[in-house]
Coordinates of all heavy atoms in Angstrom, one line a residue:
M726 N 12.4 -20.1 -4.3 CA 11.0 -19.7 -4.5 C 10.4 -19.2 -3.3 O 10.5 -19.8 -2.3 CB 10.2 -20.9 -5.1 CG 8.8 -20.4 -5.5 SD 7.8 -21.7 -6.2 CE 8.6 -21.9 -7.9
K727 N 9.6 -18.1 -3.3 CA 9.0 -17.6 -2.2 C 7.8 -18.4 -1.8 O 7.2 -19.0 -2.7 CB 8.5 -16.1 -2.4 CG 9.7 -15.1 -2.4 CD 9.1 -13.7 -2.5 CE 10.2 -12.7 -2.3 NZ 9.6 -11.3 -2.3
K728 N 7.4 -18.4 -0.5 CA 6.3 -19.1 -0.1 C 5.3 -18.1 0.5 O 5.6 -17.2 1.3 CB 6.6 -20.1 1.0 CG 5.4 -20.9 1.5 CD 5.7 -21.9 2.5 CE 4.4 -22.6 2.9 NZ 4.7 -23.7 3.9
V729 N 4.1 -18.1 0.1 CA 3.0 -17.3 0.5 C 2.0 -18.1 1.2 O 1.5 -19.1 0.8 CB 2.3 -16.4 -0.7 CG1 1.1 -15.6 -0.2 CG2 3.4 -15.6 -1.4
L730 N 1.6 -17.6 2.5 CA 0.7 -18.4 3.2 C -0.5 -17.6 3.5 O -0.4 -16.4 4.0 CB 1.3 -18.8 4.5 CG 0.6 -19.9 5.4 CD1 0.3 -21.1 4.5 CD2 1.4 -20.2 6.6
V731 N -1.7 -18.0 3.0 CA -2.9 -17.2 3.3 C -3.6 -17.7 4.5 O -3.8 -19.0 4.6 CB -3.8 -17.4 2.0 CG1 -5.2 -16.5 2.2 CG2 -3.1 -16.9 0.7
V732 N -3.9 -16.9 5.4 CA -4.4 -17.3 6.7 C -5.9 -16.8 6.9 O -6.2 -15.6 6.7 CB -3.5 -16.7 7.9 CG1 -4.0 -17.1 9.2 CG2 -2.1 -17.0 7.6
C733 N -6.7 -17.7 7.6 CA -8.1 -17.3 8.1 C -8.3 -18.1 9.4 O -7.5 -18.9 9.7 CB -9.1 -17.5 7.0 SG -9.6 -19.3 6.8
G734 N -9.3 -17.8 10.0 CA -9.7 -18.3 11.3 C -9.7 -19.8 11.2 O -9.1 -20.5 12.2
N735 N -10.3 -20.4 10.3 CA -10.4 -22.0 10.4 C -9.6 -22.6 9.3 O -9.5 -23.8 9.1 CB -11.9 -22.3 10.2 CG -12.6 -22.0 11.4 OD1 -12.3 -22.0 12.4 ND2 -13.9 -21.5 11.1
G736 N -9.0 -21.9 8.4 CA -8.1 -22.4 7.3 C -9.0 -23.0 6.2 O -8.5 -24.0 5.5
L737 N -10.2 -22.7 6.1 CA -11.1 -23.4 5.1 C -11.6 -22.4 4.0 O -10.7 -22.1 3.0 CB -12.4 -23.9 5.9 CG -12.0 -25.0 6.9 CD1 -13.3 -25.3 7.6 CD2 -11.5 -26.2 6.2
G738 N -12.7 -21.9 4.1 CA -13.3 -21.2 2.9 C -12.6 -19.8 2.5 O -12.2 -19.9 1.4
S739 N -12.6 -18.9 3.3 CA -12.0 -17.6 2.9 C -10.5 -17.7 2.4 O -10.2 -17.1 1.5 CB -12.3 -16.5 3.8 OG -11.6 -16.8 5.1
S740 N -9.8 -18.4 3.2 CA -8.3 -18.5 2.9 C -8.2 -19.3 1.5 O -7.2 -18.9 0.8 CB -7.5 -19.1 4.0 OG -7.9 -20.4 4.2
F741 N -9.0 -20.2 1.3 CA -8.8 -20.9 0.0 C -9.2 -20.0 -1.1 O -8.6 -20.1 -2.2 CB -9.8 -22.1 0.0 CG -9.7 -23.0 -1.3 CD1 -8.6 -23.6 -1.6 CD2 -10.9 -23.0 -2.2 CE1 -8.6 -24.3 -2.8 CE2 -10.8 -23.7 -3.3 CZ -9.7 -24.4 -3.6
I742 N -10.3 -19.2 -1.0 CA -10.7 -18.3 -2.0 C -9.5 -17.2 -2.3 O -9.0 -17.0 -3.5 CB -11.9 -17.5 -1.7 CG1 -13.1 -18.5 -1.8 CG2 -12.2 -16.3 -2.7 CD1 -14.3 -17.9 -1.2
V743 N -8.9 -16.8 -1.2 CA -7.8 -15.8 -1.4 C -6.6 -16.5 -2.0 O -5.8 -15.8 -2.8 CB -7.4 -15.0 0.0 CG1 -6.2 -14.2 -0.2 CG2 -8.7 -14.3 0.5
E744 N -6.3 -17.7 -1.7 CA -5.2 -18.4 -2.2 C -5.3 -18.5 -3.7 O -4.4 -18.3 -4.5 CB -5.2 -19.9 -1.7 CG -4.1 -20.7 -2.4 CD -4.2 -22.2 -2.0 OE1 -4.9 -22.6 -1.0 OE2 -3.5 -23.0 -2.5
M745 N -6.5 -18.8 -4.2 CA -6.8 -18.9 -5.7 C -6.6 -17.6 -6.3 O -6.0 -17.5 -7.4 CB -8.3 -19.5 -5.9 CG -8.4 -20.9 -5.5 SD -10.0 -21.7 -5.8 CE -11.0 -20.5 -6.5
N746 N -7.1 -16.5 -5.6 CA -6.9 -15.1 -6.2 C -5.4 -14.9 -6.2 O -4.9 -14.2 -7.2 CB -7.6 -14.2 -5.3 CG -9.1 -14.2 -5.5 OD1 -9.6 -14.8 -6.5 ND2 -9.9 -13.8 -4.6
V747 N -4.6 -15.1 -5.2 CA -3.1 -14.9 -5.2 C -2.5 -15.6 -6.3 O -1.7 -15.0 -7.0 CB -2.5 -15.4 -3.8 CG1 -1.1 -15.4 -3.9 CG2 -3.0 -14.4 -2.6
K748 N -2.8 -16.9 -6.6 CA -2.2 -17.6 -7.6 C -2.5 -16.9 -9.0 O -1.6 -16.9 -9.8 CB -2.8 -19.1 -7.6 CG -2.1 -19.8 -6.6 CD -2.7 -21.3 -6.5 CE -2.1 -22.2 -5.4 NZ -2.6 -23.5 -5.4
N749 N -3.8 -16.6 -9.3 CA -4.2 -15.9 -10.4 C -3.4 -14.5 -10.6 O -3.0 -14.3 -11.7 CB -5.7 -15.6 -10.5 CG -6.4 -17.0 -10.7 OD1 -5.9 -17.9 -11.2 ND2 -7.7 -16.9 -10.2
I750 N -3.4 -13.7 -9.6 CA -2.7 -12.5 -9.7 C -1.2 -12.7 -9.9 O -0.6 -12.0 -10.8 CB -2.9 -11.6 -8.5 CG1 -4.4 -11.1 -8.4 CG2 -2.0 -10.4 -8.5 CD1 -4.9 -10.5 -7.2
L751 N -0.6 -13.6 -9.3 CA 0.9 -13.9 -9.4 C 1.1 -14.3 -10.9 O 2.1 -13.9 -11.5 CB 1.4 -14.8 -8.5 CG 1.6 -14.4 -7.0 CD1 2.0 -15.6 -6.1 CD2 2.5 -13.3 -7.0
K752 N 0.3 -15.2 -11.4 CA 0.4 -15.7 -12.8 C 0.3 -14.5 -13.8 O 1.1 -14.4 -14.7 CB -0.7 -16.7 -13.1 CG -0.6 -17.3 -14.5 CD -1.6 -18.4 -14.7 CE -1.6 -18.9 -16.1 NZ -2.7 -19.8 -16.4
D753 N -0.7 -13.6 -13.5 CA -0.9 -12.5 -14.4 C 0.4 -11.5 -14.3 O 0.7 -10.9 -15.3 CB -2.1 -11.7 -13.9 CG -2.5 -10.5 -14.8 OD1 -2.6 -10.8 -16.1 OD2 -2.6 -9.4 -14.4
M754 N 1.0 -11.5 -13.1 CA 2.2 -10.6 -12.9 C 3.5 -11.3 -13.5 O 4.5 -10.6 -13.6 CB 2.5 -10.4 -11.5 CG 1.4 -9.4 -10.8 SD 1.6 -9.3 -9.0 CE 3.3 -9.0 -8.8
G755 N 3.4 -12.6 -13.8 CA 4.5 -13.2 -14.3 C 5.5 -13.7 -13.1 O 6.7 -13.9 -13.4
A756 N 4.9 -13.8 -11.9 CA 5.7 -14.1 -10.8 C 5.3 -15.5 -10.4 O 4.3 -16.0 -10.6 CB 5.5 -13.0 -9.6
E757 N 6.3 -16.1 -9.7 CA 6.1 -17.5 -9.2 C 6.3 -17.6 -7.7 O 7.1 -16.9 -7.1 CB 7.0 -18.5 -9.8 CG 6.8 -18.7 -11.3 CD 7.7 -19.7 -11.8 OE1 8.1 -20.6 -11.2 OE2 7.9 -19.7 -13.1
A758 N 5.4 -18.4 -7.0 CA 5.6 -18.5 -5.6 C 4.8 -19.8 -5.2 O 3.8 -20.2 -5.9 CB 5.0 -17.5 -4.8
E759 N 5.2 -20.4 -4.1 CA 4.4 -21.5 -3.6 C 3.3 -20.9 -2.8 O 3.7 -20.1 -1.8 CB 5.4 -22.4 -2.7 CG 4.6 -23.5 -2.0 CD 5.4 -24.3 -1.0 OE1 6.8 -24.2 -1.2 OE2 5.0 -24.9 -0.1
V760 N 2.1 -21.2 -3.0 CA 1.0 -20.5 -2.3 C 0.1 -21.6 -1.6 O -0.2 -22.6 -2.3 CB 0.1 -19.7 -3.2 CG1 -0.9 -19.0 -2.5 CG2 1.0 -18.7 -4.0
S761 N -0.2 -21.4 -0.4 CA -1.1 -22.3 0.3 C -1.9 -21.6 1.3 O -1.7 -20.4 1.6 CB -0.3 -23.6 1.0 OG 0.5 -23.0 1.9
H762 N -2.9 -22.3 2.0 CA -3.7 -21.6 2.9 C -3.8 -22.5 4.2 O -3.6 -23.7 4.1 CB -5.1 -21.3 2.4 CG -5.9 -22.6 2.1 ND1 -5.7 -23.3 0.9 CD2 -6.8 -23.3 2.8 CE1 -6.5 -24.5 1.0 NE2 -7.3 -24.4 2.1
T763 N -4.1 -21.8 5.3 CA -4.0 -22.4 6.7 C -4.9 -21.6 7.6 O -5.3 -20.5 7.3 CB -2.6 -22.8 7.1 OG1 -2.8 -23.6 8.2 CG2 -1.9 -21.5 7.5
D764 N -5.1 -22.3 8.8 CA -5.7 -21.5 9.9 C -4.7 -20.8 10.7 O -3.5 -20.9 10.5 CB -6.4 -22.6 10.8 CG -5.5 -23.5 11.4 OD1 -5.1 -24.5 10.8 OD2 -5.1 -23.3 12.6
L765 N -5.1 -19.9 11.5 CA -4.2 -19.0 12.3 C -3.3 -19.7 13.2 O -2.1 -19.5 13.3 CB -5.1 -18.0 13.1 CG -4.3 -17.1 14.0 CD1 -3.3 -16.2 13.2 CD2 -5.3 -16.2 14.8
T766 N -3.8 -20.7 13.9 CA -2.9 -21.5 14.9 C -1.8 -22.2 14.1 O -0.7 -22.1 14.6 CB -3.8 -22.6 15.6 OG1 -4.9 -21.9 16.3 CG2 -2.9 -23.3 16.6
T767 N -2.1 -22.8 13.0 CA -1.0 -23.5 12.2 C -0.1 -22.5 11.7 O 1.2 -22.7 11.6 CB -1.6 -24.3 11.1 OG1 -2.6 -25.3 11.7 CG2 -0.6 -25.1 10.3
A768 N -0.5 -21.3 11.2 CA 0.3 -20.3 10.6 C 1.3 -19.8 11.6 O 2.5 -19.4 11.1 CB -0.5 -19.1 10.1
K769 N 1.1 -19.8 12.8 CA 2.1 -19.3 13.9 C 3.3 -20.2 13.8 O 4.4 -19.6 14.1 CB 1.4 -19.4 15.3 CG 0.4 -18.3 15.4 CD -0.2 -18.3 16.8 CE -1.3 -17.2 16.8 NZ -1.9 -17.1 18.2
S770 N 3.3 -21.4 13.4 CA 4.5 -22.3 13.4 C 5.0 -22.7 12.0 O 5.9 -23.4 11.9 CB 4.2 -23.5 14.3 OG 3.2 -24.3 13.7
E771 N 4.2 -22.3 11.0 CA 4.6 -22.7 9.6 C 5.4 -21.5 9.0 O 4.9 -20.4 8.8 CB 3.3 -23.0 8.8 CG 3.7 -23.6 7.4 CD 2.5 -24.1 6.7 OE1 1.4 -24.4 7.4 OE2 2.5 -24.2 5.4
P772 N 6.6 -21.8 8.5 CA 7.4 -20.9 7.8 C 6.9 -20.5 6.5 O 6.5 -21.2 5.7 CB 8.7 -21.5 7.8 CG 8.5 -23.0 7.7 CD 7.3 -23.1 8.5
A773 N 6.9 -19.1 6.3 CA 6.6 -18.5 5.0 C 7.3 -17.2 4.8 O 7.8 -16.7 5.8 CB 5.1 -18.3 4.9
D774 N 7.5 -16.8 3.5 CA 8.1 -15.5 3.2 C 7.1 -14.3 3.4 O 7.4 -13.2 3.7 CB 8.6 -15.5 1.8 CG 9.7 -16.5 1.7 OD1 10.8 -16.4 2.3 OD2 9.6 -17.4 0.9
L775 N 5.7 -14.7 3.2 CA 4.7 -13.7 3.3 C 3.4 -14.3 3.8 O 2.9 -15.3 3.3 CB 4.4 -13.0 1.9 CG 3.3 -12.0 1.7 CD1 3.6 -10.8 2.6 CD2 3.1 -11.7 0.3
Y776 N 2.8 -13.6 4.8 CA 1.6 -14.2 5.3 C 0.5 -13.1 4.9 O 0.7 -11.9 5.2 CB 1.6 -14.2 6.9 CG 2.6 -15.2 7.4 CD1 4.0 -14.9 7.5 CD2 2.3 -16.5 7.7 CE1 4.9 -15.8 7.9 CE2 3.1 -17.5 8.2 CZ 4.5 -17.1 8.3 OH 5.5 -18.0 8.8
I777 N -0.6 -13.5 4.4 CA -1.7 -12.6 4.0 C -3.0 -13.1 4.7 O -3.3 -14.3 4.7 CB -1.9 -12.6 2.6 CG1 -0.6 -12.2 1.8 CG2 -3.0 -11.7 2.1 CD1 -0.6 -12.3 0.3
G778 N -3.8 -12.1 5.1 CA -5.1 -12.3 5.7 C -5.7 -11.1 6.1 O -5.3 -10.0 5.7
S779 N -6.9 -11.2 6.7 CA -7.6 -10.0 7.2 C -6.8 -9.3 8.3 O -6.1 -9.9 9.0 CB -9.0 -10.3 7.6 OG -9.0 -11.0 8.8
K780 N -6.9 -7.9 8.1 CA -6.1 -7.1 9.2 C -6.4 -7.6 10.6 O -5.3 -7.7 11.4 CB -6.4 -5.7 9.0 CG -5.7 -5.0 7.9 CD -5.9 -3.5 7.9 CE -5.1 -2.9 6.7 NZ -5.4 -1.4 6.7
D781 N -7.7 -7.8 10.9 CA -7.9 -8.2 12.3 C -7.4 -9.5 12.8 O -7.1 -9.8 14.0 CB -9.4 -8.1 12.5 CG -10.1 -9.0 11.7 OD1 -9.8 -9.3 10.6 OD2 -11.3 -9.5 12.1
L782 N -7.0 -10.3 11.8 CA -6.7 -11.7 12.1 C -5.1 -11.8 12.1 O -4.5 -12.3 13.0 CB -7.3 -12.8 11.1 CG -7.1 -14.1 11.4 CD1 -7.8 -14.6 12.7 CD2 -7.4 -15.1 10.2
V783 N -4.5 -11.4 11.0 CA -3.0 -11.6 10.8 C -2.2 -10.8 11.7 O -1.0 -11.0 11.9 CB -2.6 -11.4 9.4 CG1 -3.2 -12.6 8.5 CG2 -2.9 -10.0 8.8
G784 N -2.8 -9.8 12.4 CA -2.1 -9.0 13.4 C -1.5 -10.0 14.6 O -0.5 -9.6 15.2
N785 N -2.2 -11.0 14.7 CA -1.8 -12.0 15.8 C -0.6 -12.7 15.3 O 0.1 -13.4 16.2 CB -2.9 -13.0 16.0 CG -4.2 -12.4 16.6 OD1 -4.1 -11.8 17.7 ND2 -5.3 -12.6 16.0
L786 N -0.1 -12.6 14.1 CA 1.1 -13.3 13.6 C 2.3 -12.4 13.8 O 3.4 -12.9 13.7 CB 1.0 -13.7 12.2 CG -0.1 -14.8 11.9 CD1 -0.2 -14.9 10.3 CD2 0.4 -16.1 12.5
E787 N 2.1 -11.1 13.8 CA 3.2 -10.2 13.9 C 4.1 -10.4 15.3 O 3.6 -10.3 16.4 CB 2.7 -8.8 13.9 CG 2.1 -8.5 12.5 CD 1.6 -7.0 12.4 OE1 1.5 -6.4 13.4 OE2 1.3 -6.7 11.2
D788 N 5.3 -10.8 15.0 CA 6.1 -11.1 16.1 C 7.6 -10.5 15.9 O 8.5 -10.8 16.6 CB 6.4 -12.5 16.3 CG 7.0 -13.3 15.2 OD1 7.4 -12.7 14.2 OD2 7.0 -14.5 15.3
G789 N 7.7 -9.7 14.9 CA 9.0 -8.9 14.5 C 9.8 -9.8 13.6 O 10.8 -9.3 13.1
T790 N 9.5 -11.1 13.2 CA 10.2 -11.9 12.3 C 9.5 -12.2 11.0 O 10.1 -12.7 10.1 CB 10.7 -13.2 13.1 OG1 9.5 -14.0 13.3 CG2 11.4 -12.9 14.4
K791 N 8.1 -12.0 11.1 CA 7.3 -12.5 10.0 C 7.0 -11.2 9.2 O 6.8 -10.2 9.6 CB 6.1 -13.2 10.3 CG 6.4 -14.5 11.0 CD 5.0 -15.1 11.5 CE 5.1 -16.5 12.1 NZ 5.9 -16.6 13.4
T792 N 6.9 -11.5 7.7 CA 6.3 -10.4 6.9 C 4.9 -10.6 6.8 O 4.4 -11.7 6.2 CB 7.1 -10.5 5.5 OG1 8.4 -10.3 5.7 CG2 6.5 -9.3 4.6
V793 N 4.1 -9.8 7.4 CA 2.6 -10.0 7.5 C 1.9 -8.8 6.8 O 2.3 -7.7 7.0 CB 2.2 -10.0 8.9 CG1 0.7 -10.1 9.1 CG2 2.9 -11.2 9.7
E794 N 0.9 -9.2 5.9 CA 0.2 -8.2 5.2 C -1.3 -8.4 5.5 O -1.8 -9.4 5.1 CB 0.3 -8.1 3.8 CG 1.8 -7.7 3.2 CD 1.9 -6.1 3.3 OE1 0.9 -5.4 3.5 OE2 3.1 -5.7 3.1
G795 N -1.9 -7.3 6.1 CA -3.3 -7.5 6.4 C -4.1 -6.8 5.4 O -3.8 -5.6 5.1
L796 N -5.2 -7.4 5.0 CA -6.1 -6.9 4.1 C -7.3 -6.3 4.7 O -7.8 -6.8 5.6 CB -6.5 -7.9 3.1 CG -5.5 -8.6 2.3 CD1 -6.0 -9.8 1.5 CD2 -4.7 -7.7 1.3
T797 N -7.8 -5.1 4.3 CA -9.0 -4.4 4.8 C -10.2 -5.3 4.2 O -11.2 -5.6 4.9 CB -9.1 -3.0 4.3 OG1 -7.9 -2.3 4.8 CG2 -10.4 -2.3 4.9
N798 N -10.1 -5.7 3.0 CA -11.3 -6.5 2.3 C -10.5 -7.6 1.6 O -9.9 -7.4 0.5 CB -12.0 -5.6 1.4 CG -13.1 -6.3 0.7 OD1 -13.2 -7.6 0.7 ND2 -14.0 -5.7 0.0
I799 N -10.7 -8.8 2.1 CA -10.0 -10.0 1.6 C -10.5 -10.3 0.2 O -9.8 -11.1 -0.5 CB -10.1 -11.2 2.4 CG1 -11.5 -11.6 2.6 CG2 -9.4 -10.9 3.8 CD1 -11.6 -13.1 3.4
L800 N -11.6 -9.8 -0.3 CA -12.0 -10.1 -1.6 C -11.7 -9.1 -2.6 O -12.1 -9.1 -3.8 CB -13.6 -10.4 -1.5 CG -14.0 -11.6 -0.7 CD1 -15.5 -11.7 -0.7 CD2 -13.3 -12.8 -1.1
D801 N -11.1 -8.0 -2.2 CA -10.7 -6.9 -3.1 C -9.5 -7.2 -3.8 O -8.4 -7.3 -3.3 CB -10.5 -5.6 -2.2 CG -10.2 -4.3 -3.1 OD1 -9.8 -4.5 -4.2 OD2 -10.4 -3.3 -2.5
Q802 N -9.7 -7.5 -5.1 CA -8.5 -7.9 -6.0 C -7.5 -6.8 -6.1 O -6.3 -7.2 -6.2 CB -9.2 -8.2 -7.4 CG -10.2 -9.4 -7.3 CD -9.5 -10.8 -7.6 OE1 -8.4 -10.8 -8.0 NE2 -10.1 -11.8 -7.0
N803 N -8.0 -5.6 -6.2 CA -7.0 -4.5 -6.3 C -6.1 -4.4 -5.1 O -4.9 -4.1 -5.2 CB -7.7 -3.2 -6.6 CG -8.3 -3.2 -8.0 OD1 -7.8 -3.7 -8.9 ND2 -9.5 -2.6 -8.1
E804 N -6.7 -4.4 -3.9 CA -5.9 -4.4 -2.7 C -4.9 -5.6 -2.6 O -3.7 -5.4 -2.3 CB -6.8 -4.4 -1.4 CG -6.1 -4.3 -0.2 CD -6.9 -4.4 1.2 OE1 -8.2 -4.8 0.9 OE2 -6.5 -4.1 2.1
L805 N -5.4 -6.8 -3.0 CA -4.5 -7.9 -3.0 C -3.4 -7.8 -4.0 O -2.2 -8.1 -3.7 CB -5.4 -9.2 -3.4 CG -4.6 -10.5 -3.3 CD1 -3.9 -10.7 -1.9 CD2 -5.6 -11.8 -3.5
R806 N -3.7 -7.3 -5.2 CA -2.7 -7.1 -6.2 C -1.6 -6.1 -5.7 O -0.4 -6.2 -5.9 CB -3.3 -6.5 -7.5 CG -2.2 -6.2 -8.6 CD -2.9 -5.9 -9.9 NE -3.6 -6.8 -10.5 CZ -3.1 -7.8 -11.4 NH1 -1.8 -7.7 -11.6 NH2 -3.9 -8.7 -11.8
S807 N -2.0 -5.0 -5.0 CA -1.1 -4.0 -4.5 C -0.2 -4.7 -3.5 O 1.1 -4.3 -3.6 CB -1.9 -2.9 -3.8 OG -1.1 -1.9 -3.3
V808 N -0.7 -5.5 -2.7 CA 0.2 -6.3 -1.7 C 1.2 -7.1 -2.4 O 2.4 -7.1 -2.0 CB -0.7 -7.0 -0.6 CG1 0.1 -8.1 0.1 CG2 -1.4 -6.2 0.2
L809 N 0.8 -7.8 -3.4 CA 1.6 -8.8 -4.1 C 2.7 -8.0 -4.9 O 3.8 -8.4 -4.9 CB 0.8 -9.7 -4.9 CG 0.0 -10.7 -4.1 CD1 -1.0 -11.4 -5.1 CD2 0.8 -11.7 -3.3
E810 N 2.3 -6.8 -5.5 CA 3.3 -6.1 -6.2 C 4.4 -5.5 -5.4 O 5.5 -5.5 -5.8 CB 2.6 -5.0 -7.0 CG 1.7 -5.4 -8.2 CD 1.0 -4.4 -8.8 OE1 0.8 -3.3 -8.3 OE2 0.5 -4.5 -10.0
K811 N 4.0 -5.2 -4.2 CA 5.0 -4.7 -3.3 C 6.0 -5.7 -2.9 O 7.2 -5.4 -2.6 CB 4.2 -4.3 -1.8 CG 5.0 -3.8 -0.9 CD 4.1 -3.1 0.2 CE 4.5 -3.5 1.6 NZ 3.6 -3.0 2.7
H812 N 5.6 -7.0 -2.9 CA 6.6 -8.0 -2.6 C 7.2 -8.9 -3.7 O 8.2 -9.6 -3.5 CB 5.9 -9.0 -1.5 CG 5.6 -8.3 -0.2 ND1 6.5 -8.2 0.8 CD2 4.3 -7.8 0.2 CE1 5.9 -7.6 1.8 NE2 4.6 -7.3 1.5
F813 N 6.7 -8.7 -4.8 CA 7.1 -9.5 -6.0 C 7.7 -8.6 -7.0 O 7.9 -9.1 -8.2 CB 6.0 -10.4 -6.5 CG 5.8 -11.6 -5.6 CD1 5.0 -11.5 -4.6 CD2 6.5 -12.7 -5.8 CE1 4.7 -12.6 -3.7 CE2 6.3 -13.9 -5.0 CZ 5.5 -13.7 -3.9
Q814 N 8.0 -7.3 -6.8 CA 8.5 -6.6 -8.0 C 9.7 -5.8 -7.5 O 10.1 -5.6 -6.5 CB 7.5 -5.6 -8.5 CG 6.3 -6.4 -9.2 CD 5.6 -5.7 -10.3 OE1 6.0 -4.5 -10.6 NE2 4.8 -6.3 -11.0

C-alpha cells in the first residue's frame, strides 16, 4: 500500500485539512493509501511514496529520491485531485 505524507510548516492545521481532503478524494477514486500529516523537519526523514504540500514548502524535500508534489493552492480540491490521479491511476 502506498504511503502519502502531507507536509506543512508545523504539521498541524493546514496539513491535517489536506490529509482529510486526500483521504476523501482517494475514497472517491476507489484508491487506497496510508495517509498522514507532519511538519517539514520530520518529513525529511520519514519515508513515503508521495509527499504533498505547498510549492514553496515541499521544494525543500526534493533531493532526487522523493516523489514530491507542490500545490499552488492547498485548499483547491481540483488541483489536489489532479495530483492524486497522476499517482494513483
Side-chain angles (χ1 to χ4, degrees):
M726 178 179 295
K727 286 187 175 184
K728 180 176 180 180
V729 177
L730 192 57
V731 181
V732 182
C733 74
N735 294 321
L737 299 171
S739 60
S740 61
F741 179 66
I742 292 168
V743 177
E744 174 189 352
M745 291 179 4
N746 290 338
V747 167
K748 287 178 178 178
N749 288 335
I750 292 169
L751 287 176
K752 182 178 178 184
D753 186 52
M754 291 170 49
E757 291 186 23
E759 177 186 339
V760 184
S761 60
H762 67 279
T763 191
D764 63 281
L765 179 61
T766 302
T767 304
K769 290 182 179 182
S770 61
E771 189 168 336
D774 297 297
L775 176 61
Y776 298 82
I777 299 175
S779 67
K780 280 186 180 182
D781 60 329
L782 187 71
V783 294
N785 294 304
L786 293 173
E787 293 178 348
D788 63 2
T790 65
K791 294 178 174 70
T792 303
V793 178
E794 289 286 350
L796 303 171
T797 302
N798 179 349
I799 61 170
L800 298 178
D801 183 339
Q802 300 273 333
N803 293 324
E804 182 181 11
L805 184 57
R806 179 178 291 274
S807 177
V808 164
L809 293 170
E810 286 174 346
K811 181 171 137 181
H812 293 279
F813 284 88
Q814 295 210 358

